[in-house]
Amino acid sequence: MEKREKLYEGKAKIIYATDQPDKVIIYFKDDTTAFDGVKKEQIVGKGVINNAISSLIFEVLNKRSIPTHYIEKLSDREMLALKVEIIPVEVVVRNFAAGSFTRRYGVPEGTKLEKPLVETFWKNDELHDPLVCLEHIKLLKLAEPEDVEKMKEIALEVNEVLKAFFASKDILLVDFKLEFGKTTDGRLVLADEISPDSCRLWDAKTKKKLDKDVFRFDLGDLKEAYQELLNRLREK
Ligand code: TMP
Ligand code: ASP
């Protein structure tokens, strides 16, 4: 696999073309941002840990026949994936109240939700990723309604698979964000990354946070938390 030109650089990753038109290399950077890039730091080694965690999680999902862009981990900081056009709608699944749900609706952090809640946000940093419902998505032409329905269905399936996977490591899957894309041959697949940058994960017993909230709210050493998470995910 030959690495070619840079196609896109985001806040935490760089996408490179390859010698195959339907595949890309995703490079995980150490840049860590929060609040739409307002808080920003380089945390040396974070990209390596996030590539390892994301690859491990995508392998779990691929084994369960969930359609994803992931092909294989290539190196410490690189994964090979199907090239996709990202749909600008982020799907968030919540099992417990936290983050913007707590701020928006006043439900205390950690409250168990009666059933998983699926929310959709417009992926738009300038507008701070506003919450959108299907009517907004249709009106703003952000995605096809059938695709949104499928994305929500897949997100709930991912929730069931990952809830059980994390539970086996004594970790609570509080909430997470997914992004989807269309492959060059038009298939809808789960894309981007699934890492502690995009999930909230708490130790099931102590409720210790093992995710980006550690960085967002200066709760301790982010790299240590991510490394602990990776070690626990690797345990048999
Ligand atoms: P929220 O509670 O801030 O809406 O976040 C919900 C989930 O989405 C949480 O697991 C963190 C993740 N997330 C991202 O991956 N990117 C973002 O830009 C934001 C705001 C949240
Ligand atoms: N991902 C967003 C940022 O990098 C926001 C966040 O995760 O808090 O700014």
Side-chain angles (χ1 to χ4, degrees), residues 30-32 40-44:
D30 287 337
D31 296 3
T32 311
K40 190 166 181 214
E41 232 175 82
Q42 278 256 337
I43 299 180
V44 176

Side-chain angles (χ1 to χ4, degrees), residues 81-112:
L82 292 171
K83 183 176 183 181
V84 297
E85 188 161 333
I86 290 285
I87 295 172
V89 173
E90 300 185 347
V91 182
V92 168
V93 180
R94 301 181 191 273
N95 297 305
F96 295 84
S100 71
F101 181 83
T102 289
R103 285 198 299 280
R104 191 174 302 113
Y105 305 110
V107 179
E109 184 179 83
T111 308
K112 190 174 189 319

Side-chain angles (χ1 to χ4, degrees), residues 107-214:
V107 179
E109 184 179 83
T111 308
K112 190 174 189 319
L113 306 181
E114 243 169 65
K115 58 178 201 148
L117 173 70
V118 184
E119 294 176 334
T120 42
F121 293 85
W122 181 5
K123 183 176 162 69
N124 184 326
D125 268 354
E126 265 168 48
L127 298 177
H128 308 292
D129 298 349
L131 182 66
V132 285
C133 67
L134 189 59
E135 294 307 309
H136 296 111
I137 294 173
K138 282 193 217 166
L139 195 89
L140 298 165
K141 299 195 182 352
L142 304 180
E144 295 298 330
E146 311 83 68
D147 285 336
V148 176
E149 202 174 305
K150 250 168 110 186
M151 284 154 61
K152 288 181 177 174
E153 246 171 59
I154 297 172
L156 283 171
E157 258 179 76
V158 169
N159 187 43
E160 290 313 308
V161 172
L162 293 188
K163 240 187 344 194
F165 174 66
F166 285 117
S168 74
K169 316 285 178 188
D170 259 323
I171 292 168
L172 277 186
L173 177 59
V174 174
D175 59 32
F176 59 95
K177 180 265 301 176
L178 299 179
E179 293 187 25
F180 292 82
K182 284 285 181 85
T183 58
T184 49
D185 58 356
R187 280 191 311 124
L188 178 74
V189 296
L190 181 54
D192 194 49
E193 68 181 281
I194 305 180
S195 74
D197 274 10
S198 63
C199 303
R200 283 196 178 88
L201 298 159
W202 297 352
D203 179 274
K205 289 192 189 79
T206 64
K207 307 287 187 286
K208 179 181 165 191
K209 292 177 166 66
L210 299 169
D211 57 62
K212 197 156 95 175
D213 273 352
V214 172

